[in-house]
């Protein structure tokens, strides 16, 4: 997966260009699953490039019909990063708990390439909230059904863009 490799190599502009070209080639296609994944990856890339509005747009499309538990857990991780970037640490901890619960329930482990960013987010959240606040928020997230976790994630860009 060329876009994923380039994303991990840190060439974000090239990753974004390649993913946008891939999305453009899908116009008129009925492959909702692939479209959801491309939007999920574009959300991560644009957030890393600090293009917040573009990340929110792609996250909205990442939760369009065609999402799977795996793509939802991945998109939720990007939502965690977005919430943390916007200093919504409690919200980020809830979404992190939800993403982890989805991965456990559907047996879709975190890819090894994502371990370091995951640990960095966890460390940030634990340092910005008290241990009790983080733990409570994380466990609230673990109790959310997938659909409710997505509603919570969407509130990041619905509420903040008004």
């Amino acid at each position: 997966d060329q876009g994923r490799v380039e994303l991990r190599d840190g060439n974000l502009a090239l990753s974004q260009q390649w993913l946008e070209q891939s999305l453009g080639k899908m116009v008129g296609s009925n492959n909702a699953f692939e479209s959801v994944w491309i939007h999920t990856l574009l959300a991560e890339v644009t957030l890393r490039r600090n293009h917040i509005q573009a990340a929110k747009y792609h996250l909205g499309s990442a939760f369009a019909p065609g999402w799977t538990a795996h793509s939802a857990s991945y998109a939720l991780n990007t939502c965690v990063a977005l919430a943390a970037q916007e200093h919504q640490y409690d919200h980020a901890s809830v979404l992190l708990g939800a993403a982890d619960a989805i991965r456990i329930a559907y047996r879709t482990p975190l890819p090894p390439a994502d371990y370091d960013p995951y640990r960095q987010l966890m460390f940030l959240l634990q340092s910005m909230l008290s241990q009790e606040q983080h733990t409570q928020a994380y466990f609230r997230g673990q109790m959310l059904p997938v659909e409710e976790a997505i509603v919570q994630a969407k509130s990041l860009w619905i509420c903040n863009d008004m």
Side-chain angles (χ1 to χ4, degrees):
D1 183 18
Q2 181 183 356
R4 195 78 182 133
V5 170
E6 290 168 356
L7 177 59
R8 291 295 163 219
D9 289 344
N11 192 339
L12 298 178
L14 191 55
S15 289
Q16 183 174 351
Q17 179 183 16
W18 183 83
L19 289 165
E20 287 171 347
Q21 288 172 353
S22 298
L23 195 58
K25 291 176 186 174
M26 294 187 63
V27 173
S29 164
N30 289 331
N31 192 342
F33 173 77
E34 189 172 340
S35 175
V36 162
W37 265 110
I38 292 172
H39 279 292
T40 300
L41 294 171
L42 275 166
E44 181 181 355
V45 170
T46 53
L47 183 61
R48 285 183 179 197
R49 295 187 73 200
N50 209 28
H51 299 160
I52 305 302
Q53 290 307 109
K56 290 177 180 183
Y57 166 78
H58 290 296
L59 282 169
S61 297
F63 292 120
W67 62 266
T68 64
H70 184 63
S71 68
S73 68
Y74 195 89
L76 283 171
N77 277 351
T78 303
C79 291
V80 171
L82 173 62
Q85 188 164 343
E86 294 190 343
H87 309 288
Q88 296 182 32
Y89 304 114
D90 187 75
H91 199 157
S93 292
V94 169
L95 296 175
L96 185 63
D100 285 348
I102 292 167
R103 277 192 290 278
I104 291 166
Y106 292 92
R107 294 184 181 99
T108 56
L110 191 67
D114 291 336
Y115 290 169
D116 284 342
Y118 176 90
R119 281 192 278 264
Q120 290 169 356
L121 270 175
M122 182 67 85
F123 177 76
L124 173 68
L125 297 176
Q126 290 172 336
S127 67
M128 298 309 290
L129 298 171
S130 71
Q131 182 176 352
E132 181 180 346
Q133 288 173 312
H134 171 71
T135 301
Q136 287 178 355
Y138 181 85
F139 285 121
R140 280 196 320 270
Q142 286 198 314
M143 304 309 289
L144 291 175
V146 177
E147 292 78 10
E148 180 59 27
I150 291 170
V151 168
Q152 295 260 338
K154 286 181 176 181
S155 72
L156 280 169
W157 56 90
I158 293 170
C159 295
N160 292 338
D161 289 345
M162 295 183 163

